[in-house]
Amino acid sequence: MKSDSESTLQPTPEASAQQAFGAYAGPLIGETIALADAVHDDPSPEALHKLRVSLRRVRSLWWAFAPLLDKGENARQRAVYQFLATAAGKTRDWDILIELLKDQPGGAKDLLPKLQQARGETLAVSRDTLLNADVKHLLRDAFTTTTAQLNTAHMPRIALHKFAAKRVNASERTLKKRIKRARRAKRSDYAAFHEVRKAGKKLRYLFEFFGPQLQGGHKRMLKRLKRLQKRFGMLNDTVASATLLRDNAALVSASGSGSGEIDAALDWLNRERKRRLRAAAKLLD
């Protein structure tokens, strides 16, 4: 199945990167606005996940075109997308924790209702944040501002296929450096593995945006990146869930759950983290 970026009508390789921006950003902005609207009616984990992913792709697209944009303005726009993604992601983080603990042998049944309550309270805050932020206005304004900047800047025009190759090559170099660093890192150094995940995700998005403009096949690399992202994402789920539960232990305990049950859940998440870290490390060989 093709991604939304792949199904969009692609610019010609000879078009300038400046001209091509709108062809990438327009449909993506429209999709993200629709997903933000849907969250107000659909509180499901899947709806929030789709919105967060779409906002990440928007942020990655602005990063891809960063060399052609004013640094200050680009940083401001990407910070807005990060803020919106975080708002959507807070509820999603509870969903991940709940799904993980459903697999914990025997120990989390009494804890789950408390986590569901916390998830509902967080959802209300996430919805209010997204509504008050006026996502539609923010994204449309960013699109208009960036498009105007690209069309009026005095920077030399660069062919899209050349620009795409440069950005993908730069992203590939970053990923290779981070993989090399993670191979040398201790297994307790989760930050090194997290950096690999972020670099791999960024490169994957670039391949999805610019794939038709690149010379040579990239399907094998894209397949490997998807596998890496999935396995490293599973690792990140355990780390983030343990942090979330630990940070909210007092809140959950106040709702009636004993510290013993929370400690048991944290121990299980720690074992899962170690198992998933070993599985993720195998992809670096």
Side-chain angles (χ1 to χ4, degrees):
M1 182 176 179
K2 292 184 177 181
S3 69
D4 293 322
S5 60
E6 291 174 2
S7 61
T8 301
L9 183 63
Q10 287 279 335
T12 63
E14 289 71 28
S16 72
Q18 289 90 335
Q19 292 172 327
F21 173 80
Y24 292 114
L28 185 53
I29 291 294
E31 170 196 319
T32 307
I33 290 172
L35 290 170
D37 289 341
V39 165
H40 296 304
D41 301 318
D42 181 5
S44 69
E46 187 62 21
L48 285 161
H49 177 61
K50 287 181 177 179
L51 175 59
R52 181 161 67 165
V53 169
S54 193
L55 284 163
R56 284 173 173 170
R57 292 179 66 227
V58 170
R59 190 166 183 257
S60 294
L61 183 64
W62 258 254
W63 175 87
F65 281 83
L68 306 179
L69 299 170
D70 174 77
K71 289 183 179 180
E73 178 63 18
N74 184 255
R76 188 187 73 80
Q77 297 290 6
R78 293 181 66 235
V80 170
Y81 309 145
Q82 180 65 52
F83 166 77
L84 295 175
T86 298
K90 286 182 178 179
T91 304
R92 175 65 178 166
D93 289 342
W94 284 106
D95 289 327
I96 292 170
L97 172 60
I98 290 166
E99 287 302 312
L100 277 172
L101 292 187
K102 285 180 180 178
D103 293 332
Q104 181 190 351
K109 291 182 180 178
D110 294 334
L111 192 59
L112 291 176
K114 314 300 189 304
L115 301 181
Q116 289 283 6
Q117 180 180 348
R119 190 262 184 194
E121 293 170 354
T122 304
L123 173 63
V125 174
S126 294
R127 280 173 151 177
D128 286 345
T129 299
L130 293 170
L131 181 62
N132 292 333
D134 193 356
V135 176
K136 183 183 296 185
H137 173 77
L138 281 174
L139 294 180
R140 286 181 175 171
D141 181 66
F143 176 69
T144 301
T145 300
T146 303
T147 302
Q149 185 184 139
L150 288 169
N151 289 333
T152 58
H154 297 295
M155 185 178 295
R157 300 276 149 169
I158 178 173
L160 175 60
H161 69 280
K162 292 182 179 180
F163 178 77
K166 285 184 177 181
R167 296 305 281 156
V168 168
N169 288 340
S171 189
E172 282 183 321
R173 288 194 298 271
T174 298
L175 176 59
K176 288 177 181 178
K177 288 179 182 178
R178 293 184 179 179
I179 287 176
K180 186 176 181 180
R181 190 177 305 147
R183 282 173 177 163
R184 298 195 302 261
K186 295 180 180 179
R187 288 294 180 262
S188 59
D189 183 8
Y190 170 68
F193 290 84
H194 186 55
E195 290 300 313
V196 171
R197 175 175 173 261
K198 292 196 296 183
K201 185 184 298 183
K202 187 169 290 183
L203 180 56
R204 176 186 170 182
Y205 288 151
L206 291 188
F207 274 128
E208 291 178 348
F209 291 140
F210 297 137
Q213 313 300 336
L214 303 174
Q215 291 185 346
H218 61 277
K219 290 185 178 180
R220 181 179 298 179
M221 173 62 82
L222 186 54
K223 187 175 181 180
R224 185 190 176 201
L225 288 171
K226 288 179 179 179
R227 187 166 63 249
L228 183 148
Q229 187 174 339
K230 180 179 180 180
R231 197 169 293 184
F232 276 68
M234 291 174 67
L235 168 61
N236 183 68
D237 287 348
T238 59
V239 175
S241 292
T243 300
L244 181 64
L245 182 56
R246 193 178 298 110
D247 290 348
N248 290 275
L251 174 64
V252 176
S253 295
S255 300
S257 294
S259 60
E261 191 174 10
I262 295 173
D263 289 342
L266 288 171
D267 287 342
W268 182 81
L269 286 169
N270 185 52
R271 292 194 298 273
E272 275 294 292
R273 177 187 61 81
K274 292 178 179 179
R275 183 181 68 81
R276 294 184 181 193
L277 188 131
R278 289 193 296 270
K282 290 180 180 179
L283 289 183
L284 302 181
D285 297 332

